[in-house]
Amino acid sequence: MSDVLGFITNEILAMKWLDRLIGALLEFLFGLEFSGGKWGLSLQFFIYDFIKIGILLCVLIFIVSYIQSFFPPERTKKILGNFKGIRANTIGALLGTLTPFCSCSSIPIFIGFTRGGLSSGVTFSFLISSPLVDLGALILLASIFGFEIAIAYVVVGLVLAVFGGSFIEVTGLGQYIEGFVFDGDNVDLEVESLTTKDRMTYALDQVKDTYKKVFWYIVIGVAIGSLIHNWIPGEWIENVLGKDNPFSVILAVLVGAPIYADIFGTIPIAEALYNKGAGLGTILAFMMSVTTLSIPSLIMLKRVVKTKLLVWFIVIVMVGIIIIGYLFNFIGYIFL
């Protein structure tokens, strides 16, 4: 069973065969001296990761979008309206995994849910989980770190989303939403009946639109990853971001927060850091910080929530990420 799982992880998801093929092609074209040097290995890492992430991303977004076509906002609001309390927040967080969007793209859906009368706990659990964890992230993470780490990332991300939404609801912070969010008509439309062809067309359109949005994030992320992988000494990474540095998690959160990208752009950077000896918790903290606390996302969120709620949102998410980071650095040996 372990051999089968290893084959699926390494040859299908991680596409190690593609890495070997590119390496052999570069050696054939430019010779062993170049292909085995830093420039050659950097080029191999860039081509391999760019193609691998692109293929997995397109396939996964097609699948996720096809599933998502069964859950338009009207149906989603009806489903969520049947649950209360932490159960509703949990379902809100899980629905966030079906939206392969960055946090900025999730905010209009957040407005629609709020206007539809859903609780602040549900809407904020959705808002946190949507950019943080999705099915695509699970598979992409598994292709690099293995299923154990990928599943652990998704679980802790969902826990953070549920806790964050629950805290905002219980403390009454959810009342600090700008008034215009509640304005406008909330029309309860019947869910349109789509044919299989319609759903496939919708999924293909989502693949095209999403890939265009994340293309440059992938390019930049892979380029940075290739530099880290082959040009920055492992000792430097271990000293700054290794689990033995007590401030590595906090540093990763502070560095990641200003960066505007989605999880697909952070994965190649995380892969390179992991291979260089950075702590597992530090890497997870960096990825979570980039996807949920980017400055452009917070600026957009400020337009729909008042300052008090925005500050508490940042504090809740940041503290949660730091705790998760230190926890995984402490127990990271389990996944080695």
Side-chain angles (χ1 to χ4, degrees):
M1 183 64 182
S2 60
D3 291 339
V4 174
L5 184 60
F7 178 82
I8 293 174
T9 301
N10 294 322
E11 301 302 325
I12 297 179
L13 296 180
M15 299 184 191
K16 293 298 183 182
W17 59 269
L18 177 63
D19 189 28
R20 296 191 295 270
L21 177 63
I22 294 171
L25 181 61
L26 290 177
E27 181 179 346
F28 174 77
L29 293 175
F30 303 107
L32 181 60
E33 183 177 354
F34 174 82
S35 64
K38 288 186 177 180
W39 284 109
L41 292 174
S42 295
L43 182 60
Q44 179 178 340
F45 182 97
F46 181 89
I47 297 173
Y48 162 64
D49 251 34
F50 179 77
I51 295 175
K52 177 189 69 176
I53 291 175
I55 292 173
L56 288 175
L57 178 64
C58 290
V59 172
L60 292 167
I61 288 183
F62 179 87
I63 295 172
V64 171
S65 298
Y66 189 87
I67 296 172
Q68 190 186 17
S69 69
F70 291 93
F71 298 95
E74 293 78 17
R75 175 174 289 176
T76 302
K77 285 186 287 188
K78 288 181 178 179
I79 294 173
L80 292 173
N82 295 325
F83 299 91
K84 302 295 181 183
I86 195 168
R87 291 179 63 194
N89 298 349
T90 301
I91 294 175
L94 289 171
L95 284 173
T97 66
L98 297 177
T99 54
F101 306 123
C102 66
S103 51
C104 286
S105 301
S106 303
I107 290 175
I109 302 177
F110 165 81
I111 293 174
F113 284 172
T114 302
R115 187 172 293 170
L118 298 179
S119 70
S120 59
V122 173
T123 55
F124 274 94
S125 290
F126 169 85
L127 187 63
I128 295 171
S129 74
S130 180
L132 191 61
V133 292
D134 57 56
L135 297 179
L138 172 64
I139 301 301
L140 285 172
L141 284 168
S143 72
I144 295 172
F145 302 113
F147 277 103
E148 294 87 354
I149 294 177
I151 293 173
Y153 175 88
V154 171
V155 170
V156 296
L158 290 173
V159 170
L160 176 58
V162 173
F163 172 81
S166 300
F167 184 88
I168 288 173
E169 182 174 8
V170 171
T171 57
L173 290 168
Q175 64 181 303
Y176 297 101
I177 297 176
E178 296 292 349
F180 80 89
V181 174
F182 299 97
D183 297 336
D185 298 326
N186 179 39
V187 182
D188 188 16
L189 299 175
E190 290 295 325
V191 178
E192 184 180 359
S193 178
L194 300 177
T195 64
T196 300
K197 182 179 179 181
D198 293 334
R199 298 187 193 282
M200 293 186 69
T201 300
Y202 168 77
L204 286 172
D205 289 341
Q206 288 297 304
V207 170
K208 295 176 185 176
D209 292 342
T210 305
Y211 189 77
K212 288 179 182 178
K213 290 178 182 178
V214 304
F215 175 82
W216 286 110
Y217 297 139
I218 296 174
V219 171
I220 294 171
V222 173
I224 294 173
S226 65
L227 292 176
I228 294 172
H229 191 268
N230 295 290
W231 292 90
I232 299 180
E235 296 78 9
W236 293 10
I237 300 295
E238 289 187 25
N239 290 336
V240 177
L241 297 178
K243 62 182 180 180
D244 293 331
N245 181 356
F247 302 105
S248 63
V249 173
I250 297 175
L251 179 62
V253 172
L254 294 178
V255 170
I259 301 174
Y260 179 50
D262 60 19
I263 193 169
F264 305 117
T266 65
I267 284 177
I269 301 175
E271 177 184 12
L273 290 173
Y274 186 69
N275 291 334
K276 284 290 186 177
L280 175 59
T282 304
I283 294 172
L284 296 183
F286 171 78
M287 295 175 66
M288 289 181 168
S289 177
V290 169
T291 53
T292 56
L293 294 174
S294 67
I295 291 177
S297 299
L298 295 178
I299 290 174
M300 190 168 181
L301 183 60
K302 177 62 179 69
R303 297 175 60 185
V304 298
V305 304
K306 297 179 180 178
T307 301
K308 183 174 182 178
L309 178 51
L310 178 67
V311 170
W312 271 105
F313 175 83
I314 296 172
V315 169
I316 292 167
V317 174
M318 184 172 288
V319 171
I321 291 174
I322 291 173
I323 292 173
I324 289 171
Y326 280 113
L327 175 64
F328 272 82
N329 273 350
F330 180 72
I331 64 173
Y333 66 89
I334 296 175
F335 300 98
L336 297 178

